[in-house]
Amino acid sequence: KKIQVATKKAITDWAKNNQQNCLDAIDHLLYCSETLLSPQLTYVAVKGLPGEEYDAAIRNVTIHLKPEILLRDIKTGEIKGFIKLVFSKTRAIDQLEAGIIVGAIKTHVENLHRLKLKPENCLILDVFHRRKHAAPKFLQVNKTQIQMACAEIAALWPTLNN
């Protein structure tokens, strides 16, 4: 894939910059897969949830909960976890932010597929900063924070001018 990206002709400055960012992302992903994600290599990695399963409504606010990668059992094909990829070069995802994001996705995937996932298999991978964060073991605080934020958005949204 890296050769395919590297040999693609980039004409504009934006395309050249984008091409370099993609090459950097591939390098970081390779590093992460060889180091941070070694315990998850026992699973089959497949593309995340289908489009119709991304969204969830919380307090009348639709939020997008998409893991890019599902981790499936090699023999049974059962979902055992997921990886949410974050490609931010400007700042690292902190533990609190990561816990809220990965906790919300974990709850969504568990409810959608009626299963229980181990927190250590529910990950957010901060690609450019080469960090991974697992879902917190206790999600009630995160659920409350998300519900409060969604309630605030629902209340404020109608007051915003276009």
Side-chain angles (χ1 to χ4, degrees), residues 2-46:
K2 188 172 179 177
I3 293 170
Q4 182 182 4
V5 172
T7 57
K8 188 175 180 181
K9 184 76 173 156
I11 298 169
T12 66
D13 288 341
W14 182 90
K16 290 175 186 174
N17 188 45
N18 188 53
Q19 183 179 36
Q20 187 57 52
N21 287 337
C22 289
L23 291 169
D24 290 347
I26 291 169
D27 286 340
H28 287 283
L29 277 170
L30 288 171
Y31 173 84
C32 291
S33 69
E34 294 166 357
T35 56
L36 301 175
L37 299 176
S38 57
Q40 285 71 35
L41 295 179
T42 59
Y43 301 108
V44 175
V46 298

Side-chain angles (χ1 to χ4, degrees), residues 57-131:
I58 299 174
R59 301 274 172 105
N60 297 320
V61 174
T62 301
I63 58 174
H64 191 70
L65 299 168
K66 178 190 175 194
E68 280 72 29
I69 300 165
L70 291 178
L71 302 174
R72 293 187 178 267
D73 184 271
I74 292 173
K75 294 179 183 172
T76 66
E78 182 180 304
I79 297 171
K80 294 296 185 178
F82 63 84
I83 302 172
K84 171 70 180 164
L85 301 174
V86 175
F87 293 95
S88 173
K89 285 182 138 183
T90 55
R91 69 174 188 83
I93 299 288
D94 66 40
Q95 186 65 41
L96 177 62
E97 183 179 15
I100 290 170
I101 295 167
V102 78
I105 296 171
K106 179 180 182 287
T107 300
H108 180 65
V109 171
E110 287 177 336
N111 292 340
L112 195 61
H113 293 279
R114 293 175 171 58
L115 47 84
K116 187 73 176 151
L117 300 173
K118 293 180 180 177
E120 62 269 19
N121 290 332
C122 302
L123 304 172
I124 189 167
L125 182 64
D126 188 343
V127 176
F128 284 107
H129 296 96
R130 297 180 173 184
R131 295 180 186 167

